[in-house]
Amino acid sequence: MKIFISGASGLVGGNCLSYFRAKKVDVVGSHLSYMTPDTVYFNTLSPGDAGNFDIAAFRPDIIVHCGALTHVDYCEQHPEESYEKTVQSTLNLVEAARECGATLVLLSTDYVFDGREGPYKETDAVNPLSVYGRHKLEAEQEVIKSGLPYLILRVTNVYGDELRHKNFVSRIVEQCYNRQHLTLKLPYDQFASPTNAMDIARAMYELLLHDKTGIYHICGSDFMNRVELAMKVIGYFPGTSYTLEAVSTEQLGQPAARPLIGGFVKQKFVREFPEFTFTSVDNYLQSKIKS
């Protein structure tokens, strides 16, 4: 396999790059605004950028699109930018994949659902509530109708190792290590399946290795709300100073609507890969304590 990853300086893309390299895959990962020593520059919004890595010359068998604008409330308030960074970037990589004859892998989200009857299977009806969710769904639809071989992985509540500690779990771990006082105002009515980015990388590798296509739901072995998730992390750091206010989503008054009962039933994946083991938040936190 030869793989090109857009957005490889981020959480999911970075874990994919690390895991694929460990598996001796010929892989190149790119960055746009956040450069890392392991990535090359590629602007998915401007395929003609003279500084772009030459995908056509690399001739990947697979293009993995991890780059997107993921700040849900920012997307709600900046819909044109959301479209550009989520939908148009996907369209540009569709053309790159077409030129290379490559399979396209798109990372999507449980925000394509309305959260009324989750957790969700791949066959459940989509109904996004937010600009972010609608644009993710539109990106999915563009990939599906492209006629290319494709793999769409819907993921949710992703956490794990990343250089900037931007994800919820990693950020709290870092603050606990630094003995900072935590001030948390979290919704008790938003449920999802926290998922380690490395599990996404591992699952993606198996799917690609076995030439799987279509839509797959990928998630960790937990199902909890944001308050439970925060308390799970804090529990590994006795003596942490924190203030926690548990509120309803309505009380938060966030610009973008959230699917309250999100997360996934990953029956399709585990039926095809019954020996694959997804990890839990506890597994991740235990590894952080040991290290």
Side-chain angles (χ1 to χ4, degrees), residues 32-47:
L32 177 54
S33 58
Y34 180 66
M35 181 177 64
T36 70
D38 295 328
T39 56
V40 298
Y41 177 80
F42 188 85
N43 186 352
T44 56
L45 307 180
S46 180

Side-chain angles (χ1 to χ4, degrees), residues 229-247:
L229 181 54
M231 294 309 300
K232 173 77 73 176
V233 179
I234 292 170
Y236 278 82
F237 297 90
T240 295
S241 173
Y242 69 92
T243 304
L244 172 65
E245 183 181 359
V247 298

Side-chain angles (χ1 to χ4, degrees), residues 55 60 62-63 92-104 148-149:
I55 297 179
I62 298 153
I63 294 177
N92 292 342
L93 286 181
V94 162
E95 290 311 308
R98 195 185 310 281
E99 182 179 356
C100 295
T103 296
L104 185 61
L148 295 170

Side-chain angles (χ1 to χ4, degrees), residues 3-199:
I3 301 178
F4 175 80
I5 304 171
S6 80
S9 62
L11 175 56
V12 175
N15 277 268
C16 287
L17 181 60
S18 174
Y19 187 74
F20 294 167
R21 282 182 172 170
K23 288 294 185 179
K24 309 302 182 185
V25 173
D26 186 359
V27 58
V28 171
S30 74
H31 65 266
L32 177 54
S33 58
Y34 180 66
M35 181 177 64
T36 70
D38 295 328
T39 56
V40 298
Y41 177 80
F42 188 85
N43 186 352
T44 56
L45 307 180
S46 180
D49 188 325
N52 280 350
F53 174 78
D54 192 342
I55 297 179
F58 180 56
R59 300 296 298 182
D61 307 302
I62 298 153
I63 294 177
V64 179
H65 187 22
C66 295
L69 185 58
T70 58
H71 192 310
V72 179
D73 290 329
Y74 185 89
C75 289
E76 198 71 19
Q77 297 167 322
H78 302 83
E80 291 183 2
E81 185 178 349
S82 174
Y83 177 88
E84 182 181 44
K85 291 184 175 177
T86 298
V87 182
Q88 188 59 53
S89 67
T90 301
L91 288 169
N92 292 342
L93 286 181
V94 162
E95 290 311 308
R98 195 185 310 281
E99 182 179 356
C100 295
T103 296
L104 185 61
V105 182
L106 176 69
L107 270 293
S108 191
T109 172
D110 60 342
Y111 276 56
V112 300
F113 299 103
D114 58 24
R116 296 189 176 96
E117 297 182 9
Y120 291 95
K121 302 186 297 294
E122 291 86 352
T123 52
D124 289 330
V126 293
N127 184 33
L129 303 176
S130 63
V131 167
Y132 170 74
R134 289 195 294 274
H135 285 163
K136 276 295 193 180
L137 179 58
E138 188 171 349
E140 287 188 12
Q141 293 168 338
E142 292 293 348
V143 169
I144 291 169
K145 74 181 185 183
S146 71
L148 295 170
Y150 69 86
L151 188 62
I152 295 171
L153 302 189
R154 291 178 180 150
V155 300
T156 172
N157 211 348
V158 184
Y159 66 89
D161 292 342
E162 67 175 325
L163 292 175
R164 290 178 285 180
H165 299 287
K166 288 175 63 179
N167 67 85
F168 183 74
V169 171
S170 181
R171 187 167 65 248
I172 295 180
V173 168
E174 183 183 35
Q175 290 171 335
C176 289
Y177 265 128
N178 293 334
R179 300 186 182 278
Q180 295 174 242
H181 177 80
L182 278 64
T183 302
L184 302 169
K185 187 175 184 179
L186 300 171
Y188 57 74
D189 55 354
Q190 291 182 26
F191 288 80
S193 313
T195 309
N196 192 326
M198 185 55 73
D199 282 355

